[in-house]
Amino acid sequence: MPTHSVPRPEYPRPQFVRRDWLNVNGLWQFETDRGDSGLERGLLTRDLDGQILVPFPPESELSGVGDTDFLEAVWYRRVLTLPADWAGRRVLLHFGAVDHDTTVWADGTEVARHRGGFTPFTADLGDIAGSGRDVVVTVRARDTRSGPQARGKQAIKYANHDCNYTRVTGIWQTVWLEPVHEAHLRRPRITPDLAGSAFHLELPLSGNRPGQVVRAVLSDDEGEVCRAEARADLDLAPRLHLPVPADRRREWGPDDPHLYDLRLELVDERGEVLDTVESYAGLRAVGLRGKAVTLNGRPVFQRLVLDQGWYPDGLMTAPTDEALVRDIELAMEAGFNGARLHQKVFEERFLYHADRLGYLVWGEFGDWGCETGGSSGDNQQPDASYVGQWLEAVERDYSHPSIVGWCPLNETYQKLHDRITVLDDVTRAMFLATKAFDATRPVIDASGYAHRVAETDVYDSHSYEQDPEAFRRQMAGLAEGEPFVNSYENGAAYSQPYRGQPYFVSEFGGIWWDPEAAAAQSGEDRTLSWGYGERVRNEDEFHERFTGLTGVLLQDPAMFGYCYTQLTDVFQEQNGVYRFDRGTKLDVERIRAAQTRPAAIEERDGR
């Protein structure tokens, strides 16, 4: 068992920071419940028979458990001692993410339920601080093998296979406590207004009290930029306007990821500050112009990389905060200016580092898991929980300037015919719900394959054609308004027709290369190592193919970006720019040189 007392000790919510908090990662009691009979067997009321290092999932090496079999349910138990100086305030118990269906008890009383393995939730423990007694917290996480469930890249067979990886069950992000007054601030929406040189704030409150006000102070390195306040006794979410004078205006972008500091306060009728939160904001705008996606009014070719967010020792949990930073740095060193955060809602600290480093990202949901195995006419049936889980992700991440687009679904595939299906309903619901929540960013209804929403903001395809000249011919139709669109092998359509939206190839490449596997692996055995197409024979052939494929897209004046598969090898999928352990695999300078060539859409200013 690892001896770390508090792994992942950093503050888990860096855009909404309170001074008082307590990280409760570390050793918890743990027990596997393969038959999901633990409640009947008394696991709620007794000590559990093992230990685990939270926040690492039980399948991972870092957890100290390392059980990679199917885990129908798992239990956690921890006795929490609350600081005495929290007396008189409500105590909130936060979970960054727990996979998949979670129930939380405090001293045997149920205090929270949550469905979804990627998004945070909170258990309100009430006014129990300062009572002089400990609190026993018990957590059960269920992770069934069957039925529609947003699993992302978790394997549904026993072993890793294809592009599916070791499962993750239970707690896999930080667990922490914080005290708040009965009247307190909730997560704000921070909306940059570049045209108006201002920020607009919505400040949801726990409730309205007579005489209370909300206050916001915006600052930069020179000091206070502006401040604003409003009554907090009328609207459940007061709005504030923070203008930025011309001489203090700095646009956020890859070349200058400037962040303003933001302090938020809730003040009572006597002038006493009841709640103080530290935050930050970036002044930037995302727009659509012709075939271009613009940043601050200028076309910026999106040289994205597919980032799966998996680690050899922690699986979906980064071993350290520094590991999150390193992944961004590695991508930027290779010439990428952003990423699709693929089939996973990344922990929020990744977005914080993307914000401060000027790294462009598309927020995505881990939607894989709705395949029923039925006929191609109705073979995918995501349920209503997909919409709710996705909106929790959008709510959490709305204010991060690094996010330049939303992707609720990925590679949904189903024949398009004259009958409306569950997939049609849920795709439209997720698209419209995202647009209703956030009108400031483009939304793609589904990345690759089944575009079911005709008015999707952008359109894309996935292509793993490995020959650059064949790839060029495949993409040539975009100039005439007839781009490559994914379909069944027999030509049957997945998607509504293209309607002239900005277009990009959001998955391509995946070039198969691993020198050790190439030397040891006979024939085309893809169980130990695989990539797309025929494996290159040497590193020079890799760079020739990479340069050719990226050149096709960079030279296309109607292409606003691309996403190369992928940043690192992941288990048997050995088509990354770096090794799974983030070690060097290729000449990164050659990869960078291939990518940083001028892009046609930038030179033509998006026309």
Side-chain angles (χ1 to χ4, degrees):
M1 172 66 66
T3 58
H4 306 78
S5 57
V6 183
R8 298 301 309 273
E10 59 281 345
Y11 194 87
R13 194 183 57 193
Q15 207 176 22
F16 192 63
V17 178
R18 289 191 173 97
R19 179 180 61 84
D20 289 339
W21 73 293
L22 181 64
N23 188 317
V24 293
N25 290 341
L27 288 178
W28 288 55
Q29 293 181 21
F30 177 80
E31 189 166 329
T32 299
D33 181 13
R34 296 193 191 279
D36 192 13
S37 58
L39 194 61
E40 292 87 345
R41 293 187 291 110
L43 268 62
L44 176 59
T45 57
R46 69 162 171 82
D47 286 341
L48 305 179
D49 63 10
Q51 288 186 319
I52 190 169
L53 191 66
V54 170
F56 303 111
E59 294 88 347
S60 72
E61 172 189 330
L62 290 176
S63 71
V65 178
D67 185 347
T68 60
D69 204 347
F70 291 97
L71 304 178
E72 192 74 14
V74 293
W75 290 74
Y76 299 78
R77 180 182 175 94
R78 173 97 178 248
V79 178
L80 301 180
T81 301
L82 305 178
D85 61 0
W86 289 9
R89 290 181 281 177
R90 302 191 71 82
V91 177
L92 305 180
L93 175 61
H94 299 294
F95 295 85
V98 184
D99 195 332
H100 184 268
D101 290 352
T102 310
T103 307
V104 182
W105 294 267
D107 290 337
T109 300
E110 184 179 317
V111 290
R113 290 187 184 188
H114 182 260
R115 167 162 288 178
F118 297 105
T119 47
F121 65 96
T122 297
D124 187 339
L125 301 185
D127 185 13
I128 62 174
S131 61
R133 63 180 178 84
D134 295 333
V135 179
V136 179
V137 171
T138 308
V139 179
R140 179 190 61 198
R142 287 169 160 152
D143 196 11
T144 60
R145 297 174 61 175
S146 60
Q149 183 189 111
R151 305 175 192 275
K153 287 297 191 78
Q154 299 180 62
I156 57 175
K157 300 177 183 178
Y158 167 71
N160 292 351
H161 60 92
D162 303 309
C163 57
N164 296 282
Y165 317 132
T166 304
R167 286 169 297 282
V168 165
T169 301
I171 297 169
W172 68 274
Q173 288 187 31
T174 290
V175 185
W176 55 292
L177 294 158
E178 69 172 346
V180 294
H181 289 284
E182 191 71 30
H184 59 273
L185 298 164
R186 290 180 172 160
R187 185 94 187 214
R189 290 194 203 182
I190 305 168
T191 305
D193 177 3
L194 185 59
S197 193
F199 292 98
H200 304 292
L201 273 60
E202 295 179 49
L203 295 175
L205 304 171
S206 63
N208 303 112
R209 305 290 189 276
Q212 291 185 352
V213 299
V214 289
R215 180 185 302 145
V217 180
L218 190 75
S219 304
D220 60 15
D221 292 342
E222 299 178 26
E224 183 175 316
V225 174
C226 65
R227 65 173 56 210
E229 67 177 46
R231 291 176 62 177
D233 57 352
L234 297 174
D235 300 302
L236 191 55
R239 291 172 171 81
L240 296 176
H241 176 74
L242 292 170
V244 180
D247 62 344
R248 306 290 283 278
R249 170 175 163 145
R250 282 178 65 182
E251 298 176 1
W252 182 95
D255 295 331
D256 182 19
H258 177 260
L259 298 172
Y260 293 90
D261 294 323
L262 183 62
R263 187 175 74 251
L264 309 173
E265 295 177 336
L266 176 64
V267 183
D268 69 10
E269 70 280 2
R270 300 183 302 275
E272 179 183 348
V273 177
L274 299 176
D275 196 6
T276 300
V277 172
E278 300 296 332
S279 185
Y280 64 85
L283 188 61
R284 66 101 181 91
V286 181
L288 306 178
R289 185 169 73 234
K291 292 295 192 294
V293 175
T294 62
L295 183 67
N296 303 334
R298 298 176 295 278
V300 174
F301 192 88
Q302 296 186 18
R303 297 166 173 85
L304 309 179
V305 67
L306 199 74
D307 189 346
Q308 312 272 12
W310 288 72
Y311 301 86
D313 49 3
L315 302 179
M316 286 204 302
T317 310
T320 63
D321 190 54
E322 291 75 19
L324 298 173
V325 179
R326 185 59 178 151
D327 281 358
I328 297 173
E329 292 175 340
L330 288 172
M332 297 175 76
E333 288 170 12
F336 297 103
N337 61 8
R340 275 184 67 202
L341 307 183
H342 189 50
Q343 279 300 294
K344 175 186 172 185
V345 179
F346 280 45
E347 62 176 281
E348 194 174 356
R349 286 198 66 87
F350 184 97
L351 297 177
Y352 161 67
H353 296 307
D355 292 340
R356 66 181 186 82
L357 293 172
Y359 192 62
L360 309 177
V361 301
W362 282 72
E364 185 174 313
F365 186 49
D367 67 289
W368 281 12
C370 63
E371 171 61 49
T372 64
S375 69
S376 62
D378 198 13
N379 56 292
Q380 294 197 304
Q381 299 190 12
D383 59 24
S385 73
Y386 274 54
V387 184
Q389 293 173 53
W390 172 241
L391 285 180
E392 288 179 338
V394 176
E395 179 182 29
R396 190 198 75 175
D397 296 341
Y398 173 89
S399 300
H400 286 283
S402 58
I403 295 182
V404 295
W406 298 113
C407 178
L409 298 167
N410 171 72
E411 287 189 351
T412 48
Y413 63 98
Q414 185 171 283
K415 181 181 177 181
L416 189 68
H417 51 68
D418 65 353
R419 181 168 54 85
I420 296 173
T421 67
V422 171
L423 179 60
D424 291 298
D425 287 337
V426 173
T427 302
R428 186 160 192 82
M430 294 180 81
F431 176 81
L432 292 178
T434 311
K435 294 297 292 183
F437 200 107
D438 183 2
T440 71
R441 295 176 175 93
V443 180
I444 189 167
D445 58 342
S447 180
Y449 298 12
H451 293 293
R452 320 294 278 198
V453 178
E455 66 270 29
T456 181
D457 290 326
V458 298
Y459 207 98
D460 76 343
S461 67
H462 297 174
S463 174
Y464 287 104
E465 171 60 55
Q466 295 294 300
D467 176 54
E469 286 308 311
F471 191 48
R472 188 183 306 278
R473 293 192 296 272
Q474 187 182 68
M475 294 296 149
L478 180 58
E480 307 302 324
E482 297 181 358
F484 173 72
V485 177
N486 295 109
S487 63
Y488 280 102
E489 291 183 359
N490 63 7
Y494 292 130
S495 299
Q496 293 282 348
Y498 175 67
R499 299 193 178 192
Q501 298 100 323
Y503 177 96
F504 74 135
V505 180
S506 60
E507 286 186 31
F508 80 109
I511 301 171
W512 183 8
W513 174 241
D514 186 302
E516 287 77 18
Q521 187 173 335
S522 62
E524 296 298 315
D525 179 4
R526 298 168 64 90
T527 59
L528 300 177
S529 167
W530 73 273
Y532 290 92
E534 182 180 353
R535 182 169 51 204
V536 295
R537 291 167 294 184
N538 51 55
E539 185 175 342
D540 284 339
E541 189 173 315
F542 173 94
H543 289 292
E544 180 181 352
R545 190 182 297 182
F546 182 89
T547 301
L549 293 173
T550 53
V552 168
L553 305 179
L554 286 164
Q555 295 161 15
D556 190 332
M559 190 77 62
F560 79 79
Y562 59 61
C563 181
Y564 180 80
T565 302
Q566 63 182 324
L567 181 62
T568 73
D569 297 339
V570 186
F571 294 109
Q572 70 280 356
E573 189 175 355
Q574 295 182 352
N575 50 20
V577 173
Y578 297 94
R579 300 181 187 275
F580 195 15
D581 65 3
R582 278 58 176 175
T584 301
K585 175 180 173 182
L586 295 157
D587 185 339
V588 172
E589 283 303 315
R590 292 178 70 178
I591 294 173
R592 180 180 181 85
Q595 292 205 84
T596 52
R597 293 170 289 174
I601 200 167
E602 293 174 320
E603 293 182 319
R604 292 184 55 175
D605 198 29
R607 295 188 296 275

